[in-house]
Amino acid sequence: MQKRWPTRMHASKVDDYNMNQDRMSQRGWQPGTEVVARYSFKGSSEEDLVFDKGDIMTIVTPTKDPNWYKARHVDCREGLIPANYIQKRSEVKLHAMPWFHGKITRDEAEILLQPREDGLFLVRESTNFPGDYTLCVCYKNKVEHYRVIYKENKLTIDEEEYFENLSRLVEHYQKDADGLCTRLKLSVPKKGEPEFSVDSQEFEKAGWTIKLDDLKLGEVLGKGEFGDVVLGCFRGKKVAVKVLKDNSKAAQTFLAEASVMTSLSHRNLVQLLGVVFEWPSIYIVTEYMSKGSLVDYLRSRGRLHVTKKDQINFATDTCAGMEYLESRQVVHRDLAARNVLISDENVAKVCDFGLAREKSFNLEGGKFPIKWTAPEALRHSKFSNKSDMWSFGILLWEIYSFGRVPYPRIPLADVVKHVEKGYRMEAPEGCPSEIYDIMKQALTLQV
């Protein structure tokens, strides 16, 4: 279907900048706003910027005509674009799953499902089939347990209806029993903070999806928590691509990380470019940081090549990124030199927000990076910007020790005990006293 072009006004559309700031504000498209193309645009004059559906552009300035903006393409071309062909990229929202209770047993579920009113339900992880789930529903004073099968990146109960995630499945059976003993009516909420789900439609609506045809995959750069990180090329530009392993629970954590990134934009944070959904695979595409992680950069170059100015810049860049995260009420939870990347211009950028939504880690689970985590976070799962500050203190020690592993002479099992008794690492060789004072201030117990 042919889209209607907006009415065009004559000549110098880039005049009267100040007058049009109000128009820009009304749309929410300030200079620097990132937008994505809803449709392809071929243009009709030399001053137009030609683009394809899905292309990413940045607003440069408003024009006299409120239907047109001057914009810059990701390939650095500039020109005029029609407002009704683009949309502002927006934050991807997560769906709360208060009815999801995680790893509880069949007996525990039946205890929770009281009083046994028809349609009372909860969802738990399957104990007999790891990776699957169980929908527990009350009916005629009994509890029916339906296995939710994970198959080809989808969830199903009857292998006829398939759903992208648990939220979609529950929504379906809340509207219609569709083969279950009864329609889902009322849930038993889990105590504490709920789990979340994300689906591909939310990313598409918010303008974050990328076509696989626009992405070329190359060599493996490293291994991530959920799968490989590979070098890619997105429309002529190098990018980093995280490739998801085939795992249902990992898919939701993977997408939760991407959803956090859709709400964040800062010079010192690694920027999300988009997400590819090519079932059964999912790809997160981010900007490529050519010089790798900060810890590898420090270790490979050492004192001969990493200057004092470099060290200060890396520290201040990381601090600026973390300050922005705090302003956005995001807790990183895994700040370390391995999770800071260095660009071709030697700019340090914080990455990996995979733990930012995860609430279920504990000390016994072994997932914590103990040497970087504040004692109160280890003992009581109390994560906050204060615990991120503790991690920043450890990161400063990494920078000034040129990438050494923290607490070099203390066994891992004894680190927390020593720290809680007041032990703090000595200043690395050559570390300025002012920097060491900042480290000690950061490494303060929160009680």
Side-chain angles (χ1 to χ4, degrees):
M1 178 179 174
Q2 181 66 40
K3 302 297 176 183
R4 291 188 62 189
W5 286 33
T7 304
R8 184 192 292 260
M9 292 181 68
H10 64 82
S12 70
K13 304 186 192 78
V14 294
D15 292 342
D16 299 331
Y17 177 87
N18 291 331
M19 178 185 73
N20 284 285
Q21 286 297 300
D22 290 339
R23 289 176 183 155
M24 188 82 92
S25 297
Q26 289 171 6
R27 279 190 187 272
W29 296 353
Q30 298 293 339
T33 297
E34 197 173 75
V35 295
V36 63
R38 299 169 61 198
Y39 319 108
S40 295
F41 175 62
K42 302 306 178 186
S44 62
S45 71
E46 290 183 358
E47 58 185 346
D48 290 338
L49 175 61
V50 176
F51 54 81
D52 293 322
K53 180 180 178 180
D55 282 4
I56 301 164
M57 293 162 284
T58 303
I59 298 295
V60 174
T61 174
T63 72
K64 275 188 174 181
D65 187 339
N67 294 312
W68 291 82
Y69 292 90
K70 184 176 181 181
R72 181 182 303 109
H73 197 277
V74 288
D75 63 12
C76 296
R77 292 180 295 119
E78 291 192 3
L80 298 173
I81 61 174
N84 64 346
Y85 273 55
I86 58 176
Q87 70 179 77
K88 180 182 176 183
R89 281 183 151 185
S90 57
E91 179 181 353
V92 173
K93 301 294 185 182
L94 300 180
H95 298 285
M97 302 191 298
W99 33 259
F100 182 66
H101 288 250
K103 291 183 179 179
I104 62 171
T105 65
R106 181 189 183 100
D107 289 342
E108 288 171 333
E110 294 191 355
I111 291 170
L112 288 169
L113 288 164
Q114 299 287 349
R116 298 264 173 90
E117 297 179 3
D118 288 0
L120 185 67
F121 75 96
L122 60 81
V123 180
R124 59 184 173 87
E125 292 183 29
S126 174
T127 51
N128 296 327
F129 302 95
D132 289 351
Y133 301 94
T134 304
L135 172 62
C136 309
V137 191
C138 292
Y139 184 64
K140 292 186 176 179
N141 207 35
K142 293 183 179 180
V143 178
E144 301 292 338
H145 298 264
Y146 293 93
R147 179 184 172 189
V148 180
I149 304 167
Y150 175 65
K151 187 175 181 180
E152 296 180 354
N153 266 50
K154 299 285 184 178
L155 298 171
T156 182
I157 290 177
D158 55 13
E159 299 195 52
E160 292 182 6
E161 293 278 355
Y162 286 83
F163 306 93
E164 189 172 326
N165 55 46
L166 286 173
S167 290
R168 295 290 182 189
L169 182 144
V170 167
E171 287 171 7
H172 175 79
Y173 290 108
Q174 283 176 323
K175 295 175 183 175
D176 188 341
D178 195 16
L180 299 186
C181 58
T182 181
R183 180 175 64 83
L184 305 182
K185 299 175 182 177
L186 181 66
S187 68
V188 176
K190 176 187 175 184
K191 291 182 179 179
E193 297 190 39
E195 299 280 343
F196 294 89
S197 72
V198 199
D199 60 50
S200 59
Q201 293 179 18
E202 297 298 324
F203 284 91
E204 187 172 354
K205 289 176 186 175
W208 288 98
T209 54
I210 290 175
K211 292 180 180 178
L212 185 59
D213 292 344
D214 293 331
L215 188 65
K216 294 180 180 179
L217 302 179
E219 63 185 285
V220 175
L221 298 174
K223 302 287 183 180
E225 182 182 355
F226 306 121
D228 292 339
V229 180
V230 303
L231 178 64
C233 183
F234 177 54
R235 293 177 179 167
K237 185 177 180 181
K238 285 184 178 180
V239 294
V241 184
K242 291 185 177 182
V243 185
L244 173 68
K245 291 176 181 175
D246 189 14
N247 179 290
S248 173
K249 191 172 183 182
Q252 286 302 301
T253 310
F254 195 69
L255 293 177
E257 176 183 351
S259 75
V260 172
M261 296 179 77
T262 64
S263 67
L264 306 172
S265 180
H266 189 274
R267 177 179 182 269
N268 298 116
L269 299 183
V270 172
Q271 184 63 46
L272 175 70
L273 300 179
V275 182
V276 178
F277 295 96
E278 190 72 19
W279 306 112
S281 299
I282 303 174
Y283 310 84
I284 291 181
V285 184
T286 64
E287 62 178 316
Y288 174 62
M289 305 292 282
S290 62
K291 295 186 177 179
S293 73
L294 174 57
V295 68
D296 289 341
Y297 186 93
L298 293 166
R299 290 173 181 174
S300 62
R301 289 160 179 80
R303 297 175 187 273
L304 289 176
H305 300 285
V306 179
T307 66
K308 290 182 178 180
K309 183 178 179 181
D310 289 333
Q311 290 173 307
I312 283 290
N313 286 342
F314 294 152
T316 54
D317 282 350
T318 303
C319 190
M322 294 303 296
E323 182 182 37
Y324 172 78
L325 287 184
E326 181 172 2
S327 74
R328 301 289 298 176
Q329 297 182 318
V330 173
V331 179
H332 189 288
R333 301 174 179 235
D334 195 17
L335 180 63
R338 64 182 173 276
N339 286 333
V340 175
L341 301 180
I342 308 300
S343 74
D344 199 41
E345 297 79 22
N346 263 28
V347 176
K349 303 191 181 193
V350 180
C351 69
D352 279 351
F353 307 102
L355 298 183
R357 299 282 187 182
E358 185 59 66
K359 307 291 186 183
S360 61
F361 292 163
N362 56 48
L363 185 56
E364 290 72 29
K367 292 187 177 182
F368 275 126
I370 290 174
K371 291 187 175 183
W372 287 263
T373 306
E376 68 270 15
L378 287 169
R379 294 293 187 191
H380 310 294
S381 293
K382 287 186 177 179
F383 283 96
S384 66
N385 298 114
K386 292 178 180 178
S387 59
D388 275 350
M389 179 61 76
W390 177 285
S391 301
F392 178 70
I394 302 295
L395 184 144
L396 275 181
W397 191 91
E398 289 184 275
I399 291 174
Y400 282 90
S401 66
F402 295 88
R404 292 183 68 193
V405 177
Y407 306 100
R409 292 179 293 276
I410 300 177
L412 182 62
D414 296 335
V415 169
V416 177
K417 180 173 59 178
H418 278 71
V419 168
E420 289 182 333
K421 288 181 178 179
Y423 174 80
R424 299 295 181 269
M425 290 182 288
E426 297 176 355
E429 181 183 347
C431 175
S433 59
E434 297 88 347
I435 298 295
Y436 186 55
D437 286 342
I438 294 173
M439 283 186 212
K440 289 189 291 185
Q441 289 174 34
L443 299 173
T444 303
L445 287 174
Q446 302 297 325
V447 293

